[in-house]
């Protein structure tokens, strides 16, 4: 990048794929992975640059290569003056738009000499408790993993269907004082829904996330839910909220689903108006993915932004974590 490009009036867009090794393996009901593959977009203008990071998710039909191509295809629209409002109309929700939306917001904040939350008129995020994820495994392996982090205030337990009652009981025995939330990642069925919910309730679980497959979750409206149930794969942006009111008590807002912080903030406001509790979630990624989501934490009952803690290393100027506390980003990272 030359100095003339950096100081020119027209925005310059570059994008790249990054690979970040995971400490051990991250296992959910759909499989395991040993690295986080992210796509980073950087937009430069007038001597300032803003970055955004996204995680393409195969569950939603996304690939790393297609996401990178979708971002790079926006060079001409940005050169023509495309702004965040125009971006929402031009691109669908998803990972590619998330990286661009967050990069634009960071650039706007730097150009204005303000923090992103002040620029947007939102409350400044404060240090808050984030969940820490326990991967799916045998009851014994999950109990051992839980015991090593039992001092944390909030644990998110990955479950996977058969045997989940034994898994959650073993986890609770290993961490008797922790608040527990559960993520089944669509692995339960209408037949085992009620027994598994009962097992979670008996273990003192506070919230169960996406127990049934998206589009096949009608049974949630037909039972008495003993604990709160949160939509994840069933909810993406504001358009998907209204149809979930009889099935879910909470919604998990992830920037890679909403297509960026712009839609995520509007979705959080709409979800609160409909009476949903809010969970702020993430994919496994670096602090650059977590930082914009911190603006949603003042509205959230549950914060799950532990992605960098699952990596071998985070990027420079990463978020500050102290045990279960996560702190707002410094301007050197984002916003």
């Amino acid at each position: 990048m030359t100095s003339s490009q950096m100081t020119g009036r027209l925005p310059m867009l570059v994008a790249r794929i990054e690979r970040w090794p995971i400490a051990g393996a991250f296992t959910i009901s759909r499989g395991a992975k040993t690295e986080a593959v992210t796509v980073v977009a950087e937009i430069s203008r007038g001597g300032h640059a803003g970055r955004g990071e996204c995680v393409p998710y195969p569950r939603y039909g996304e690939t790393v290569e297609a996401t990178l191509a979708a971002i790079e295809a926006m060079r001409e629209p940005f050169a023509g003056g495309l702004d965040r409002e125009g971006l929402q109309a031009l691109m669908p929700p998803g990972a590619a738009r998330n990286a661009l939306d967050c990069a634009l917001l960071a650039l706007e904040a730097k150009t204005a000499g303000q923090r992103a939350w002040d620029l947007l008129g939102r409350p400044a995020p404060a240090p808050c408790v984030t969940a820490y994820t326990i991967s799916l495994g045998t009851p014994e392996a999950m109990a051992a993993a839980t015991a090593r982090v039992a001092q944390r205030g909030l644990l998110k337990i990955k479950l996977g269907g058969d045997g989940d009652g034994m898994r959650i009981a073993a986890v609770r025995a290993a961490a008797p004082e922790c608040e527990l939330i559960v993520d089944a990642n669509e692995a339960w069925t209408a037949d085992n829904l009620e027994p598994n919910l009962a097992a979670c309730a008996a273990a003192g679980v506070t919230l169960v996330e996406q127990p049934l497959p998206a589009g096949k979750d009608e049974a949630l409206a037909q039972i008495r839910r003993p604990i709160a149930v949160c939509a994840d794969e069933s909810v993406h942006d504001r358009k998907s909220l209204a149809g979930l009111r009889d099935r879910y008590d909470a919604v998990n807002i992830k920037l890679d689903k909403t297509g960026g912080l712009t839609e995520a903030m509007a979705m959080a406001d709409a979800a609160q108006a409909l009476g949903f509790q809010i969970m702020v979630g993430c994919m496994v990624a670096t602090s650059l993915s977590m930082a914009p989501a911190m603006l949603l934490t003042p509205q959230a009952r549950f914060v799950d932004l532990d992605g960098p803690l699952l990596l071998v290393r985070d990027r420079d100027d990463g978020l500050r974590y102290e045990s279960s506390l996560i702190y707002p980003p410094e301007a050197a990272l984002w916003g």
Side-chain angles (χ1 to χ4, degrees):
M1 187 180 301
T2 68
S3 59
S4 61
Q5 287 171 323
M6 283 295 294
T7 57
R9 295 177 61 85
L10 295 178
M12 178 182 175
L13 167 64
V14 295
R16 61 186 177 272
I17 295 170
E18 297 183 347
R19 298 179 181 275
W20 300 85
I22 292 173
F26 179 74
T27 305
I28 65 173
S29 62
R30 284 190 286 272
K33 60 181 182 178
T34 57
E35 67 175 0
V37 184
T38 72
V39 182
V40 174
E42 184 169 325
I43 303 173
S44 305
R45 182 179 58 214
H48 299 288
R51 299 179 300 170
E53 180 182 79
C54 69
V55 181
Y57 199 33
R59 169 65 180 83
Y60 304 135
E62 297 176 330
T63 67
V64 173
E65 295 76 15
T67 299
L68 179 66
I71 292 172
E72 292 178 333
M74 299 303 291
R75 287 196 179 109
E76 186 173 339
F78 279 122
L82 183 70
D83 59 11
R84 272 193 302 120
E85 182 178 354
L87 179 67
Q88 313 307 306
L90 192 58
M91 294 187 79
R97 195 179 80 183
N98 175 32
L100 290 168
D101 184 75
C102 292
L104 276 174
L105 265 170
L107 178 60
E108 290 174 26
K110 287 186 177 181
T111 301
Q114 294 181 278
R115 295 312 306 266
W117 46 85
D118 294 325
L119 183 73
L120 296 168
R122 310 292 287 200
C128 59
V129 172
T130 180
Y132 182 84
T133 301
I134 302 296
S135 287
L136 177 65
T138 65
E140 295 78 15
M142 294 180 71
T146 299
R148 291 193 288 270
V149 294
Q151 78 283 358
R152 293 182 176 273
L154 177 64
L155 296 179
K156 178 174 177 175
I157 313 303
K158 293 289 188 178
L159 296 182
D162 293 339
D164 279 350
M166 291 184 291
R167 291 186 180 99
I168 196 61
V171 165
R172 172 50 80 197
E177 303 300 324
C178 286
E179 181 176 12
L180 300 181
I181 58 179
V182 156
D183 187 1
N185 284 115
E186 305 180 281
W188 294 358
T189 67
D191 291 334
N192 65 26
L193 174 64
E194 290 188 271
N196 281 339
L197 283 175
C200 288
V205 170
T206 306
L207 180 85
V208 173
E209 190 180 343
Q210 198 67 44
L212 299 177
K216 299 179 181 179
D217 51 4
E218 301 88 353
L220 288 168
Q222 301 163 5
I223 65 168
R224 187 189 69 82
R225 300 188 292 272
I227 52 180
V229 177
C230 178
D232 182 4
E233 287 85 353
S234 288
V235 64
H236 290 256
D237 56 11
R238 281 174 290 174
K239 296 177 183 176
S240 53
L241 286 172
L244 303 177
R245 296 179 69 183
D246 62 340
R247 304 176 190 188
Y248 294 96
D249 311 289
V251 293
N252 188 344
I253 301 177
K254 295 178 179 176
L255 272 60
D256 280 312
K257 293 190 301 178
T258 65
L261 184 59
T262 300
E263 172 62 23
M265 291 185 300
M267 181 180 172
D269 294 342
Q272 280 193 320
L274 290 171
F276 288 109
Q277 295 182 61
I278 292 174
M279 179 178 184
V280 178
C282 69
M283 307 300 186
V284 182
T286 78
S287 284
L288 185 56
S289 282
M290 310 300 126
M294 285 294 296
L295 274 71
L296 301 173
T297 59
Q299 294 173 272
R301 166 62 178 87
F302 301 96
V303 174
D304 178 26
L305 298 177
D306 66 339
L309 298 179
L310 307 177
L311 302 176
V312 171
R313 63 178 181 86
D314 194 8
R315 65 177 68 249
D316 294 340
D317 301 312
L319 290 171
R320 175 184 167 198
Y321 289 87
E322 289 183 358
S323 187
S324 290
L325 281 181
I326 178 174
Y327 287 78
E330 299 293 334
L333 174 66
W334 184 88

